Amino acid sequence: MFDANSLLSFSDLDAIARKSGLIIRLSHKFSALGFLLALLRSVTKGDCSLNHLAMQLGAFHPSAMSRQAMHKRFSPASSSFLLRVFGLLIRKKARTTFEGLEDAPFHRVLIEDSTIISMSKSNAVHFPNNGNGRVATAGCKCLLLTDLLSGDVLSSELHNARDSDQALAHEVLNFCRQGDLIVRDMGFFNLQVLEEIGARDAHWISRLPASVALTTRDGSELRDLLKRTRGNRIDTTVWLGRDQRRRIPCRLVATRLSKADANKHRRMRKRESRKRGATPSKEGLLRDGWRLLVTNMPAKAISAKKLNDIYALRWSIEIQFRALKQSCQIHRALTHKSDFFHLEALVLAAMIYQILTLKVHRDLCRKHGSGGWMSIEKISDFFSIYLLSLNRLEGSPAFEPDLRHLRYERRRRVNHWQAIIYSLG
Protein backbone atom coordinates (compact mmCIF):
# COMPACT_ATOMS: atom_id res chain seq x y z
CA MET A 1 0.00 0.00 0.00
CA PHE A 2 2.71 2.47 0.96
CA ASP A 3 5.55 1.23 -1.22
CA ALA A 4 7.00 3.15 -4.13
CA ASN A 5 4.83 1.35 -6.63
CA SER A 6 1.60 2.12 -4.84
CA LEU A 7 -0.25 5.16 -3.52
CA LEU A 8 2.18 6.65 -0.99
CA SER A 9 5.87 6.05 -0.43
CA PHE A 10 8.02 6.74 2.62
CA SER A 11 10.10 9.28 0.66
CA ASP A 12 6.97 11.12 -0.56
CA LEU A 13 5.63 11.52 2.96
CA ASP A 14 8.99 12.56 4.41
CA ALA A 15 9.40 15.26 1.74
CA ILE A 16 5.86 16.55 2.39
CA ALA A 17 6.48 16.60 6.15
CA ARG A 18 9.63 18.70 5.73
CA LYS A 19 7.95 21.14 3.36
CA SER A 20 5.03 21.61 5.72
CA GLY A 21 7.24 21.99 8.80
CA LEU A 22 5.92 18.88 10.55
CA ILE A 23 9.47 17.45 10.63
CA ILE A 24 12.53 19.65 11.10
CA ARG A 25 15.09 17.07 12.20
CA LEU A 26 15.21 13.30 12.48
CA SER A 27 13.75 11.66 15.58
CA HIS A 28 13.64 8.06 16.78
CA LYS A 29 10.13 8.74 18.16
CA PHE A 30 8.44 10.34 15.18
CA SER A 31 8.17 9.98 11.39
CA ALA A 32 5.76 11.19 8.72
CA LEU A 33 4.56 7.70 7.83
CA GLY A 34 4.22 6.72 11.49
CA PHE A 35 2.22 9.87 12.22
CA LEU A 36 -0.13 9.22 9.28
CA LEU A 37 -0.59 5.55 10.17
CA ALA A 38 -1.23 6.43 13.82
CA LEU A 39 -4.00 8.82 12.76
CA LEU A 40 -5.51 6.33 10.29
CA ARG A 41 -5.47 3.52 12.85
CA SER A 42 -6.93 5.78 15.53
CA VAL A 43 -9.87 7.05 13.46
CA THR A 44 -10.49 3.48 12.28
CA LYS A 45 -10.61 2.23 15.86
CA GLY A 46 -12.33 5.32 17.23
CA ASP A 47 -9.77 5.98 20.00
CA CYS A 48 -8.23 9.33 19.12
CA SER A 49 -7.17 10.83 22.42
CA LEU A 50 -3.61 12.09 22.67
CA ASN A 51 -2.70 9.07 24.78
CA HIS A 52 -4.04 6.63 22.20
CA LEU A 53 -2.33 8.49 19.36
CA ALA A 54 0.99 8.37 21.22
CA MET A 55 0.55 4.63 21.77
CA GLN A 56 -0.32 4.04 18.11
CA LEU A 57 2.75 6.00 17.03
CA GLY A 58 4.92 4.16 19.54
CA ALA A 59 3.99 0.85 17.90
CA PHE A 60 6.10 1.85 14.88
CA HIS A 61 9.11 3.39 16.65
CA PRO A 62 11.71 2.27 19.24
CA SER A 63 10.54 4.86 21.79
CA ALA A 64 7.08 6.27 22.47
CA MET A 65 6.26 9.97 22.69
CA SER A 66 4.61 11.49 25.71
CA ARG A 67 1.07 12.85 25.62
CA GLN A 68 2.41 16.40 25.88
CA ALA A 69 4.86 15.87 23.00
CA MET A 70 2.06 14.46 20.83
CA HIS A 71 -0.07 17.50 21.60
CA LYS A 72 2.68 19.80 20.33
CA ARG A 73 2.65 17.97 16.97
CA PHE A 74 -0.86 19.23 16.23
CA SER A 75 -0.40 22.69 14.76
CA PRO A 76 -0.73 24.47 11.41
CA ALA A 77 2.15 22.23 10.27
CA SER A 78 0.14 19.02 10.90
CA SER A 79 -2.85 20.42 8.99
CA SER A 80 -0.56 21.47 6.13
CA PHE A 81 1.02 18.00 6.04
CA LEU A 82 -2.31 16.19 5.88
CA LEU A 83 -3.69 18.54 3.25
CA ARG A 84 -0.58 18.01 1.09
CA VAL A 85 -0.92 14.24 1.46
CA PHE A 86 -4.54 14.59 0.50
CA GLY A 87 -3.61 16.57 -2.59
CA LEU A 88 -0.99 13.99 -3.58
CA LEU A 89 -3.56 11.19 -3.39
CA ILE A 90 -6.08 13.08 -5.50
CA ARG A 91 -3.47 13.87 -8.16
CA LYS A 92 -2.71 10.16 -8.63
CA LYS A 93 -5.08 9.41 -11.51
CA ALA A 94 -6.22 6.12 -12.96
CA ARG A 95 -4.38 4.93 -16.06
CA THR A 96 -7.45 3.51 -17.79
CA THR A 97 -11.20 3.64 -17.46
CA PHE A 98 -13.27 0.71 -16.29
CA GLU A 99 -13.64 -2.11 -18.77
CA GLY A 100 -16.57 -1.71 -21.13
CA LEU A 101 -16.93 2.04 -20.58
CA GLU A 102 -14.34 3.38 -23.00
CA ASP A 103 -17.07 4.16 -25.57
CA ALA A 104 -19.40 5.96 -23.14
CA PRO A 105 -21.04 9.08 -24.62
CA PHE A 106 -19.36 11.29 -22.00
CA HIS A 107 -15.71 11.98 -21.26
CA ARG A 108 -16.39 11.86 -17.53
CA VAL A 109 -19.42 11.37 -15.27
CA LEU A 110 -18.95 13.61 -12.23
CA ILE A 111 -20.94 12.80 -9.11
CA GLU A 112 -21.01 15.39 -6.34
CA ASP A 113 -22.40 15.19 -2.82
CA SER A 114 -21.63 16.17 0.76
CA THR A 115 -21.94 14.71 4.24
CA ILE A 116 -21.86 16.20 7.73
CA ILE A 117 -19.36 14.84 10.27
CA SER A 118 -20.78 15.61 13.70
CA MET A 119 -18.72 16.48 16.77
CA SER A 120 -19.24 17.07 20.44
CA LYS A 121 -21.18 20.29 21.05
CA SER A 122 -18.27 21.46 23.22
CA ASN A 123 -16.35 22.06 19.97
CA ALA A 124 -18.96 24.43 18.54
CA VAL A 125 -16.62 27.41 18.96
CA HIS A 126 -14.21 26.06 16.34
CA PHE A 127 -16.64 23.96 14.27
CA PRO A 128 -20.13 25.51 14.49
CA ASN A 129 -23.03 23.53 13.05
CA ASN A 130 -26.66 24.35 12.37
CA GLY A 131 -28.47 23.87 15.65
CA ASN A 132 -32.11 24.14 16.63
CA GLY A 133 -31.74 27.63 18.07
CA ARG A 134 -31.54 26.40 21.66
CA VAL A 135 -28.49 24.12 21.85
CA ALA A 136 -25.16 24.70 20.10
CA THR A 137 -24.02 21.87 17.84
CA ALA A 138 -20.68 21.20 16.20
CA GLY A 139 -19.53 19.54 12.99
CA CYS A 140 -17.96 20.00 9.59
CA LYS A 141 -18.96 19.21 6.01
CA CYS A 142 -17.06 16.99 3.58
CA LEU A 143 -17.66 17.71 -0.12
CA LEU A 144 -16.73 14.85 -2.46
CA LEU A 145 -16.49 14.92 -6.28
CA THR A 146 -15.73 11.67 -8.13
CA ASP A 147 -15.59 10.52 -11.74
CA LEU A 148 -17.47 7.26 -12.11
CA LEU A 149 -15.88 6.34 -15.43
CA SER A 150 -12.29 6.30 -14.19
CA GLY A 151 -12.90 5.84 -10.47
CA ASP A 152 -10.81 8.96 -9.77
CA VAL A 153 -11.52 11.27 -6.85
CA LEU A 154 -11.31 14.76 -8.35
CA SER A 155 -11.86 16.70 -5.16
CA SER A 156 -12.62 16.18 -1.48
CA GLU A 157 -12.91 19.38 0.51
CA LEU A 158 -13.57 20.30 4.12
CA HIS A 159 -16.10 23.08 4.70
CA ASN A 160 -17.99 24.75 7.49
CA ALA A 161 -21.02 22.66 8.45
CA ARG A 162 -23.17 25.77 8.12
CA ASP A 163 -22.29 26.15 4.44
CA SER A 164 -25.29 24.98 2.44
CA ASP A 165 -24.86 22.72 -0.57
CA GLN A 166 -26.22 25.51 -2.76
CA ALA A 167 -23.51 27.85 -1.48
CA LEU A 168 -20.95 25.23 -2.55
CA ALA A 169 -22.55 24.66 -5.96
CA HIS A 170 -19.88 26.76 -7.75
CA GLU A 171 -17.06 24.43 -6.63
CA VAL A 172 -17.74 22.01 -9.48
CA LEU A 173 -16.87 24.71 -12.05
CA ASN A 174 -13.20 24.34 -11.05
CA PHE A 175 -13.26 20.83 -12.54
CA CYS A 176 -15.91 20.99 -15.28
CA ARG A 177 -14.61 20.39 -18.82
CA GLN A 178 -16.10 19.99 -22.26
CA GLY A 179 -17.88 16.67 -22.69
CA ASP A 180 -18.45 16.06 -18.96
CA LEU A 181 -21.73 14.92 -17.47
CA ILE A 182 -22.43 16.34 -14.00
CA VAL A 183 -25.01 14.51 -11.89
CA ARG A 184 -26.16 16.46 -8.84
CA ASP A 185 -28.74 16.31 -6.10
CA MET A 186 -31.21 19.17 -5.94
CA GLY A 187 -29.46 20.58 -2.86
CA PHE A 188 -26.77 21.88 -5.25
CA PHE A 189 -29.31 23.36 -7.68
CA ASN A 190 -28.16 26.78 -8.89
CA LEU A 191 -29.35 28.27 -12.18
CA GLN A 192 -26.19 30.33 -12.71
CA VAL A 193 -23.98 27.28 -12.27
CA LEU A 194 -26.11 25.17 -14.60
CA GLU A 195 -25.96 27.89 -17.22
CA GLU A 196 -22.16 28.05 -16.91
CA ILE A 197 -21.88 24.26 -17.23
CA GLY A 198 -23.85 24.42 -20.47
CA ALA A 199 -21.68 27.28 -21.73
CA ARG A 200 -18.66 24.98 -21.37
CA ASP A 201 -20.28 22.37 -23.65
CA ALA A 202 -20.84 20.06 -20.70
CA HIS A 203 -24.03 18.32 -19.61
CA TRP A 204 -25.93 18.19 -16.33
CA ILE A 205 -28.77 16.23 -14.71
CA SER A 206 -30.56 17.28 -11.54
CA ARG A 207 -33.76 16.73 -9.67
CA LEU A 208 -36.10 19.73 -9.68
CA PRO A 209 -36.42 21.59 -6.35
CA ALA A 210 -39.87 22.79 -5.32
CA SER A 211 -38.59 26.37 -5.01
CA VAL A 212 -37.61 26.64 -8.69
CA ALA A 213 -40.24 28.09 -11.05
CA LEU A 214 -40.92 26.05 -14.19
CA THR A 215 -42.83 27.18 -17.26
CA THR A 216 -43.86 25.06 -20.25
CA ARG A 217 -44.04 26.13 -23.90
CA ASP A 218 -47.69 27.14 -23.60
CA GLY A 219 -46.97 29.20 -20.47
CA SER A 220 -48.49 26.78 -17.94
CA GLU A 221 -46.85 25.86 -14.65
CA LEU A 222 -45.65 22.46 -13.47
CA ARG A 223 -48.71 21.66 -11.35
CA ASP A 224 -51.01 22.24 -14.35
CA LEU A 225 -48.83 20.00 -16.51
CA LEU A 226 -48.87 17.18 -13.95
CA LYS A 227 -52.61 17.42 -13.35
CA ARG A 228 -53.58 17.10 -17.00
CA THR A 229 -51.13 14.29 -17.81
CA ARG A 230 -52.72 10.84 -17.99
CA GLY A 231 -49.67 8.90 -19.09
CA ASN A 232 -46.70 7.71 -17.01
CA ARG A 233 -44.05 9.97 -18.50
CA ILE A 234 -43.56 13.58 -19.60
CA ASP A 235 -40.64 14.54 -21.83
CA THR A 236 -40.78 18.15 -22.94
CA THR A 237 -38.88 21.44 -23.18
CA VAL A 238 -39.40 23.88 -20.30
CA TRP A 239 -37.90 27.10 -18.92
CA LEU A 240 -36.48 27.44 -15.41
CA GLY A 241 -36.46 30.63 -13.33
CA ARG A 242 -38.86 33.39 -12.41
CA ASP A 243 -37.08 36.24 -14.17
CA GLN A 244 -38.05 35.98 -17.83
CA ARG A 245 -34.84 37.73 -18.88
CA ARG A 246 -32.64 35.15 -17.12
CA ARG A 247 -34.64 31.94 -17.58
CA ILE A 248 -32.75 28.97 -19.00
CA PRO A 249 -34.27 26.39 -21.36
CA CYS A 250 -33.89 22.72 -20.50
CA ARG A 251 -35.59 19.37 -20.81
CA LEU A 252 -38.04 18.04 -18.22
CA VAL A 253 -38.36 14.27 -17.81
CA ALA A 254 -41.13 13.46 -15.34
CA THR A 255 -41.80 9.79 -14.55
CA ARG A 256 -44.87 8.72 -12.62
CA LEU A 257 -43.99 6.70 -9.53
CA SER A 258 -45.71 3.52 -8.47
CA LYS A 259 -48.65 3.91 -6.14
CA ALA A 260 -46.65 2.44 -3.26
CA ASP A 261 -43.71 4.85 -3.74
CA ALA A 262 -46.01 7.84 -4.15
CA ASN A 263 -47.89 7.00 -0.96
CA LYS A 264 -44.60 6.52 0.89
CA HIS A 265 -43.40 10.00 -0.12
CA ARG A 266 -46.70 11.56 0.83
CA ARG A 267 -46.65 9.93 4.25
CA MET A 268 -43.17 11.34 4.82
CA ARG A 269 -44.31 14.81 3.75
CA LYS A 270 -47.33 14.69 6.07
CA ARG A 271 -45.20 13.46 8.97
CA GLU A 272 -42.69 16.30 8.49
CA SER A 273 -45.51 18.82 8.22
CA ARG A 274 -47.04 17.62 11.50
CA LYS A 275 -43.71 18.12 13.26
CA ARG A 276 -43.74 21.76 12.16
CA GLY A 277 -47.43 22.21 12.90
CA ALA A 278 -48.14 22.92 9.22
CA THR A 279 -50.39 21.53 6.51
CA PRO A 280 -48.75 19.89 3.47
CA SER A 281 -49.35 21.81 0.26
CA LYS A 282 -51.46 20.28 -2.49
CA GLU A 283 -48.71 20.94 -5.03
CA GLY A 284 -46.18 19.13 -2.85
CA LEU A 285 -48.46 16.10 -2.55
CA LEU A 286 -48.95 16.18 -6.32
CA ARG A 287 -45.19 16.26 -6.95
CA ASP A 288 -44.71 13.29 -4.60
CA GLY A 289 -46.23 11.09 -7.27
CA TRP A 290 -43.51 11.91 -9.79
CA ARG A 291 -39.74 11.71 -10.27
CA LEU A 292 -38.85 15.11 -11.74
CA LEU A 293 -35.54 15.40 -13.57
CA VAL A 294 -34.23 18.35 -15.58
CA THR A 295 -31.27 18.29 -17.95
CA ASN A 296 -29.67 20.16 -20.82
CA MET A 297 -29.30 16.96 -22.89
CA PRO A 298 -31.76 16.80 -25.80
CA ALA A 299 -34.05 13.82 -26.37
CA LYS A 300 -32.19 12.82 -29.53
CA ALA A 301 -28.98 12.44 -27.52
CA ILE A 302 -30.36 10.26 -24.71
CA SER A 303 -33.68 8.60 -23.99
CA ALA A 304 -35.82 9.36 -20.94
CA LYS A 305 -35.32 5.84 -19.57
CA LYS A 306 -31.54 6.02 -19.84
CA LEU A 307 -31.63 9.47 -18.23
CA ASN A 308 -33.35 7.99 -15.18
CA ASP A 309 -30.84 5.13 -15.10
CA ILE A 310 -27.92 7.53 -15.16
CA TYR A 311 -29.33 9.68 -12.37
CA ALA A 312 -29.67 6.55 -10.25
CA LEU A 313 -25.86 6.31 -10.36
CA ARG A 314 -25.72 9.24 -7.94
CA TRP A 315 -26.48 6.73 -5.20
CA SER A 316 -22.91 5.46 -5.56
CA ILE A 317 -21.52 8.46 -3.70
CA GLU A 318 -24.03 7.89 -0.90
CA ILE A 319 -22.67 4.34 -0.64
CA GLN A 320 -19.13 5.71 -0.42
CA PHE A 321 -20.07 8.00 2.48
CA ARG A 322 -21.91 5.13 4.16
CA ALA A 323 -18.86 2.88 3.79
CA LEU A 324 -16.72 5.57 5.43
CA LYS A 325 -19.02 5.95 8.43
CA GLN A 326 -19.47 2.20 8.89
CA SER A 327 -15.82 1.17 8.81
CA CYS A 328 -14.19 4.35 10.15
CA GLN A 329 -15.22 5.16 13.73
CA ILE A 330 -14.65 8.90 13.39
CA HIS A 331 -17.94 9.63 15.16
CA ARG A 332 -16.58 7.99 18.34
CA ALA A 333 -13.36 9.97 18.09
CA LEU A 334 -15.10 13.33 17.99
CA THR A 335 -17.30 12.94 21.06
CA HIS A 336 -14.88 14.80 23.34
CA LYS A 337 -13.59 18.34 23.50
CA SER A 338 -10.20 19.13 22.03
CA ASP A 339 -8.31 21.93 20.32
CA PHE A 340 -8.82 22.97 16.72
CA PHE A 341 -5.74 21.40 15.12
CA HIS A 342 -6.24 18.05 16.84
CA LEU A 343 -9.84 17.84 15.61
CA GLU A 344 -8.93 19.04 12.14
CA ALA A 345 -6.23 16.38 11.88
CA LEU A 346 -8.73 13.66 12.83
CA VAL A 347 -11.23 14.79 10.19
CA LEU A 348 -8.53 15.08 7.53
CA ALA A 349 -7.28 11.60 8.44
CA ALA A 350 -10.81 10.23 7.99
CA MET A 351 -10.98 11.89 4.57
CA ILE A 352 -7.59 10.40 3.62
CA TYR A 353 -8.87 7.02 4.76
CA GLN A 354 -11.85 7.39 2.43
CA ILE A 355 -9.67 8.40 -0.53
CA LEU A 356 -7.38 5.42 0.07
CA THR A 357 -10.37 3.09 0.24
CA LEU A 358 -11.83 4.44 -3.01
CA LYS A 359 -8.50 4.08 -4.79
CA VAL A 360 -8.03 0.54 -3.49
CA HIS A 361 -11.51 -0.26 -4.79
CA ARG A 362 -10.63 1.29 -8.15
CA ASP A 363 -7.40 -0.70 -8.44
CA LEU A 364 -9.05 -3.98 -7.45
CA CYS A 365 -11.81 -3.40 -10.01
CA ARG A 366 -9.22 -2.74 -12.71
CA LYS A 367 -7.19 -5.80 -11.74
CA HIS A 368 -10.05 -8.28 -11.39
CA GLY A 369 -12.62 -6.81 -13.77
CA SER A 370 -15.38 -4.27 -13.17
CA GLY A 371 -18.37 -6.56 -13.44
CA GLY A 372 -20.07 -4.82 -10.57
CA TRP A 373 -19.65 -7.61 -8.05
CA MET A 374 -17.20 -5.87 -5.69
CA SER A 375 -18.64 -4.05 -2.65
CA ILE A 376 -17.01 -0.76 -1.67
CA GLU A 377 -18.40 -1.18 1.85
CA LYS A 378 -16.76 -4.58 2.32
CA ILE A 379 -13.48 -3.30 0.90
CA SER A 380 -13.63 -0.43 3.38
CA ASP A 381 -14.17 -2.90 6.24
CA PHE A 382 -11.25 -5.07 5.11
CA PHE A 383 -9.03 -2.03 4.72
CA SER A 384 -9.73 -0.93 8.30
CA ILE A 385 -8.73 -4.41 9.51
CA TYR A 386 -5.56 -4.22 7.41
CA LEU A 387 -4.57 -0.87 8.93
CA LEU A 388 -5.02 -2.19 12.46
CA SER A 389 -2.87 -5.25 11.65
CA LEU A 390 0.20 -3.24 10.56
CA ASN A 391 3.08 -3.50 13.01
CA ARG A 392 6.00 -1.96 11.10
CA LEU A 393 6.60 0.94 8.76
CA GLU A 394 8.51 -0.75 5.97
CA GLY A 395 8.14 -4.20 4.50
CA SER A 396 4.49 -4.45 5.53
CA PRO A 397 2.41 -7.14 3.82
CA ALA A 398 0.44 -6.02 0.79
CA PHE A 399 -3.27 -5.43 1.06
CA GLU A 400 -4.65 -8.54 -0.64
CA PRO A 401 -8.16 -9.32 0.62
CA ASP A 402 -9.91 -12.59 -0.14
CA LEU A 403 -12.07 -11.74 -3.15
CA ARG A 404 -14.75 -14.16 -2.02
CA HIS A 405 -15.50 -11.84 0.89
CA LEU A 406 -15.83 -8.70 -1.24
CA ARG A 407 -18.89 -9.72 -3.22
CA TYR A 408 -22.21 -7.96 -2.96
CA GLU A 409 -24.90 -10.08 -1.40
CA ARG A 410 -27.21 -11.62 -3.96
CA ARG A 411 -30.20 -9.39 -4.66
CA ARG A 412 -32.53 -8.54 -7.49
CA ARG A 413 -31.69 -4.83 -7.62
CA VAL A 414 -28.48 -4.14 -9.54
CA ASN A 415 -25.66 -2.39 -7.71
CA HIS A 416 -24.26 0.92 -8.90
CA TRP A 417 -21.33 -0.54 -10.90
CA GLN A 418 -23.71 -2.75 -12.83
CA ALA A 419 -25.95 0.26 -13.40
CA ILE A 420 -22.99 2.15 -14.88
CA ILE A 421 -22.35 -0.60 -17.40
CA TYR A 422 -26.04 -0.95 -18.32
CA SER A 423 -26.51 2.82 -18.69
CA LEU A 424 -23.28 3.97 -20.29
CA GLY A 425 -21.66 0.89 -21.81
Side-chain angles (χ1 to χ4, degrees):
M1 166 191 147
F2 289 104
D3 58 20
N5 297 321
S6 188
L7 296 172
L8 294 173
S9 67
F10 189 92
S11 58
D12 286 339
L13 293 174
D14 187 66
I16 292 173
R18 292 182 181 278
K19 288 181 181 179
S20 61
L22 180 66
I23 291 179
I24 299 176
R25 58 182 179 272
L26 293 176
S27 170
H28 62 282
K29 297 182 179 180
F30 188 87
S31 67
L33 180 55
F35 181 64
L36 178 60
L37 283 176
L39 284 170
L40 291 175
R41 286 160 60 104
S42 292
V43 297
T44 299
K45 193 176 179 181
D47 297 326
C48 298
S49 66
L50 295 174
N51 278 329
H52 280 100
L53 284 168
M55 287 188 287
Q56 292 286 3
L57 182 62
F60 298 108
H61 295 281
S63 302
M65 298 182 72
S66 67
R67 176 182 180 277
Q68 292 77 12
M70 176 59 70
H71 180 263
K72 293 180 180 179
R73 291 291 180 171
F74 292 104
S75 65
S78 62
S79 298
S80 176
F81 167 74
L82 293 170
L83 287 170
R84 288 170 184 261
V85 171
F86 203 82
L88 175 65
L89 285 172
I90 289 180
R91 289 193 299 272
K92 288 181 177 290
K93 302 297 183 182
R95 296 180 181 178
T96 59
T97 59
F98 283 110
E99 297 175 4
L101 300 180
E102 295 85 350
D103 298 327
F106 313 104
H107 296 163
R108 300 184 300 177
V109 178
L110 308 187
I111 308 290
E112 182 181 33
D113 207 350
S114 66
T115 188
I116 296 291
I117 299 177
S118 299
M119 301 181 183
S120 169
K121 63 182 180 181
S122 57
N123 298 306
V125 174
H126 299 303
F127 297 92
N129 197 354
N130 294 310
N132 55 13
R134 297 188 297 272
V135 179
T137 57
C140 56
K141 175 174 287 190
C142 176
L143 182 67
L144 184 64
L145 181 67
T146 61
D147 172 22
L148 284 183
L149 294 190
S150 67
D152 282 332
V153 178
L154 303 182
S155 174
S156 183
E157 301 174 352
L158 192 61
H159 292 272
N160 193 314
R162 290 182 175 177
D163 293 339
S164 66
D165 287 344
Q166 192 174 52
L168 302 175
H170 293 81
E171 297 292 329
V172 75
L173 296 178
N174 297 325
F175 304 92
C176 177
R177 300 201 301 252
Q178 181 180 358
D180 287 346
L181 170 64
I182 298 173
V183 184
R184 326 181 80 185
D185 193 20
M186 59 183 176
F188 293 89
F189 198 93
N190 185 299
L191 288 176
Q192 292 181 344
V193 175
L194 297 181
E195 190 173 22
E196 177 62 27
I197 292 173
R200 300 185 183 188
D201 293 328
H203 308 286
W204 53 266
I205 306 175
S206 174
R207 283 199 299 159
L208 180 67
S211 59
V212 177
L214 181 148
T215 309
T216 63
R217 289 179 176 177
D218 59 7
S220 58
E221 297 182 356
L222 177 63
R223 63 173 178 270
D224 301 321
L225 177 62
L226 297 179
K227 283 181 180 179
R228 66 172 182 254
T229 300
R230 295 292 175 261
N232 292 327
R233 179 162 286 161
I234 302 170
D235 191 345
T236 185
T237 300
V238 296
W239 282 263
L240 301 179
R242 301 185 184 279
D243 189 346
Q244 294 188 358
R245 296 171 298 179
R246 302 190 63 183
R247 294 188 305 177
I248 64 173
C250 70
R251 176 185 174 198
L252 168 69
V253 175
T255 305
R256 192 186 297 273
L257 300 177
S258 66
K259 187 175 181 180
D261 287 339
N263 289 337
K264 176 183 177 182
H265 293 168
R266 286 164 182 156
R267 286 195 300 269
M268 293 174 60
R269 182 180 294 275
K270 291 176 181 178
R271 183 166 59 248
E272 292 300 319
S273 297
R274 283 196 299 269
K275 290 181 181 180
R276 302 191 306 269
T279 303
S281 66
K282 293 182 179 180
E283 183 174 353
L285 294 173
L286 176 64
R287 291 169 61 108
D288 286 337
W290 296 82
R291 181 186 297 112
L292 304 172
L293 297 180
V294 286
T295 181
N296 64 342
M297 288 187 291
K300 63 181 180 181
I302 189 168
S303 67
K305 181 183 183 303
K306 185 168 287 188
L307 195 73
N308 278 279
D309 292 341
I310 291 175
Y311 188 78
L313 302 179
R314 201 195 65 80
W315 179 244
S316 65
I317 204 167
E318 301 282 356
I319 295 175
Q320 293 165 4
F321 281 134
R322 188 173 67 190
L324 169 68
K325 293 182 177 180
Q326 287 177 350
S327 58
C328 182
Q329 303 298 312
I330 185 65
H331 60 282
R332 289 178 50 194
L334 302 177
T335 56
H336 61 276
K337 184 178 181 180
S338 189
D339 63 49
F340 175 82
F341 294 111
H342 180 203
L343 293 175
E344 186 176 51
L346 296 179
V347 174
L348 290 173
M351 294 168 65
I352 290 173
Y353 171 84
Q354 184 180 31
I355 299 299
L356 287 170
T357 302
L358 294 177
K359 288 184 177 291
V360 167
H361 178 258
R362 179 200 68 188
D363 293 341
L364 287 174
C365 285
R366 187 189 304 114
K367 181 178 180 181
H368 300 287
S370 55
W373 55 270
M374 203 174 295
S375 168
I376 179 66
E377 293 171 289
K378 291 183 179 180
I379 289 177
S380 187
D381 288 338
F382 268 89
F383 192 59
S384 66
I385 296 172
Y386 168 76
L387 285 175
L388 293 175
S389 68
L390 294 178
N391 54 16
R392 58 184 184 273
L393 292 181
E394 296 184 275
S396 299
F399 177 66
E400 295 179 352
D402 189 331
L403 299 181
R404 296 174 300 174
H405 300 153
L406 301 183
R407 292 185 177 275
Y408 282 102
E409 299 297 332
R410 291 184 178 180
R411 55 183 179 179
R412 294 181 179 179
R413 179 172 62 86
V414 299
N415 59 60
H416 70 277
W417 297 117
Q418 292 169 330
I420 293 174
I421 295 173
Y422 297 159
S423 300
L424 303 178

